């Protein structure tokens, strides 16, 4: 009788403590009760905040998606545009967190600052379940813009960025130029280099193919919002890592930190003129110089 009571008590304890957290599915997949609860929380939050745009299957085809441009991200491919990894690599959890924290300006993706970090981490954990190859496709190594050398000399940073924008990086290949053809030729002359052949519509954005199912127009910093924000630090992060699945390459490793941060300062200087009389006059003058 004593043995039966002990066995009965043990069974009761197992059922009471393990029925929810340690069922056959959890044991078979080796998932801890903590991970299972996080996924449950993540699904609940996803259904509340994300499913309308990103869809039940995480495919970017939620009920609101047909009204949106750009389209919501398809989480099944395990890639995002704005990360801290080399273009084409799987994002880190920190990259999803960054987007949740800042949102994407000019899109339907808002900031989720009202959610606690643990809630955002739960959403991230659930989002990753839409990509079945996650365990075989680990996140890429983070890339860095390096140390900002222009914290005490903004003007020097802008000038360094101007040189990189029209020189080594040739950002005008996709983005508009914000200097006249004559000034660009002069920049090359000062460096003792032959000026390249500049494209016909130099002061307009180019449209390039992408891996996202649609062509993408490079932002015109005088007219378009920068999705990740126009702060210098944010721009440097994007310049360093590139924009996944687009023509914007990873510049970390190809450019020196002075050039990456310089580009950030230069783009920031242009972006601050967006929507201002000075910015409109600048665009008008550039277009007129090409006639």
């Amino acid at each position: 009788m004593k043995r039966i009571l002990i066995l009965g008590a043990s069974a009761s304890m197992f059922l009471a403590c393990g029925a929810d957290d340690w069922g056959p599915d959890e044991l078979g997949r080796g998932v801890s009760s903590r991970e299972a609860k996080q996924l449950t929380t993540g699904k609940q939050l996803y259904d509340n905040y994300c499913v309308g745009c990103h869809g039940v299957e995480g495919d970017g085809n939620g009920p609101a998606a047909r009204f949106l441009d750009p389209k919501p991200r398809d989480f099944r491919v395990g890639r995002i545009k704005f990360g801290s990894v080399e273009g084409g690599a799987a994002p880190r959890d920190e990259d999803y967190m960054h987007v949740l924290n800042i949102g994407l300006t000019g899109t339907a993706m808002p900031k989720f600052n009202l959610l606690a970090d643990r809630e955002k981490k739960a959403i991230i954990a659930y989002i990753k379940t839409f990509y079945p190859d996650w365990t075989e496709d680990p996140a890429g190594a983070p890339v860095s813009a390096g140390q900002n050398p222009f914290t005490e000399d903004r003007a020097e940073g802008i000038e360094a960025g101007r040189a990189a924008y029209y020189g080594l990086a040739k950002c005008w290949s996709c983005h508009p130029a914000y200097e006249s053809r004559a000034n660009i030729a002069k920049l090359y002359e000062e460096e003792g280099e032959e000026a390249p052949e500049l494209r016909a519509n130099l002061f307009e954005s180019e449209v390039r193919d992408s891996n996202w199912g649609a062509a993408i127009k490079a932002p015109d910093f005088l007219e378009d919002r920068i999705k990740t924000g126009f702060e210098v630090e944010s721009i440097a992060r994007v310049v360093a890592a590139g924009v996944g699945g687009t023509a914007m390459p990873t510049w970390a490793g190809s450019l020196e930190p002075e050039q990456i941060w310089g580009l950030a300062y230069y783009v920031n200087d242009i972006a601050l003129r967006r929507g201002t009389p000075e910015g409109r006059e600048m665009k008008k003058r550039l277009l007129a110089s090409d006639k």
Side-chain angles (χ1 to χ4, degrees):
M1 175 64 92
K2 186 175 181 181
R3 182 180 179 185
I4 292 173
L5 289 173
I6 292 173
L7 289 173
S10 298
S12 298
M13 289 176 63
F14 174 79
L15 290 172
C17 298
D20 292 333
D21 296 338
W22 292 102
D25 187 47
E26 284 77 9
L27 288 171
R29 293 186 293 115
V31 178
S32 71
S33 58
R34 183 175 182 180
E35 290 170 331
K37 288 178 179 178
Q38 184 184 50
L39 288 176
T40 298
T41 300
K43 183 181 186 308
Q44 292 170 345
L45 291 166
Y46 181 90
D47 289 345
N48 285 339
Y49 298 109
C50 314
V51 75
C53 294
H54 294 283
V56 174
E57 304 298 327
D59 56 5
N61 286 316
R66 60 196 178 102
F67 303 108
L68 303 178
D69 183 21
K71 297 299 181 185
R73 186 62 47 238
D74 181 350
F75 296 126
R76 299 173 304 171
V77 300
R79 297 293 186 273
I80 59 176
K81 285 184 181 178
F82 302 105
S84 61
V85 296
E86 187 172 348
R92 304 159 68 226
D93 286 4
E94 290 86 345
D95 298 327
Y96 284 111
M97 181 66 79
H98 183 71
V99 176
L100 286 171
N101 284 337
I102 69 168
L104 295 176
T105 302
T107 78
M109 179 64 190
K111 299 178 182 179
F112 280 94
N113 288 336
L114 293 179
L115 295 180
D117 280 353
R118 63 175 180 80
E119 292 176 308
K120 286 180 277 193
K121 288 178 181 178
I123 291 175
I124 294 166
Y126 183 68
I127 283 173
K128 290 166 68 175
T129 67
F130 293 123
Y131 181 51
D133 297 328
W134 198 267
T135 54
E136 288 77 34
D137 184 22
V143 299
S144 172
Q147 188 172 357
N148 181 357
F150 303 117
T151 55
E152 298 182 3
D153 197 337
R154 174 179 170 83
E156 184 181 358
I158 293 172
E159 191 56 34
R162 178 172 172 263
Y165 193 96
Y166 300 102
L168 183 60
K170 293 183 172 59
C171 302
W172 50 264
S173 298
C174 295
H175 299 277
Y178 304 101
E179 295 282 348
S180 68
R181 293 177 186 272
N183 283 348
I184 295 173
K186 186 176 180 181
L187 283 171
Y188 278 91
E189 182 181 342
E190 290 172 351
E191 294 296 324
E193 299 178 11
E194 183 179 352
E197 183 177 351
L198 303 174
R199 59 187 174 88
N201 57 333
L202 185 62
F203 306 114
E204 302 287 352
S205 292
E206 285 282 274
V207 176
R208 303 289 189 186
D209 291 336
S210 78
N211 296 337
W212 301 108
I216 294 177
K217 181 175 77 73
D220 179 343
F221 304 116
L222 272 181
E223 298 182 350
D224 301 322
R225 295 182 179 184
I226 302 176
K227 290 185 176 65
T228 54
F230 61 82
E231 297 82 3
V232 168
E233 293 76 14
S234 178
I235 297 171
R237 184 178 189 271
V238 175
V239 173
V243 179
T246 76
M248 176 67 181
T250 298
W251 283 112
S254 299
L255 297 180
E256 297 296 327
E258 291 82 0
Q259 294 167 315
I260 291 174
W261 282 99
L263 285 171
Y265 276 96
Y266 181 71
V267 169
N268 169 265
D269 184 60
I270 299 297
L272 287 173
R273 309 181 202 194
R274 185 181 72 85
T276 68
E278 179 188 4
R280 289 190 287 270
E281 180 59 31
M282 183 179 185
K283 174 66 80 170
K284 182 179 178 181
R285 184 173 64 252
L286 289 168
L287 291 172
S289 73
D290 223 17
K291 294 180 179 179

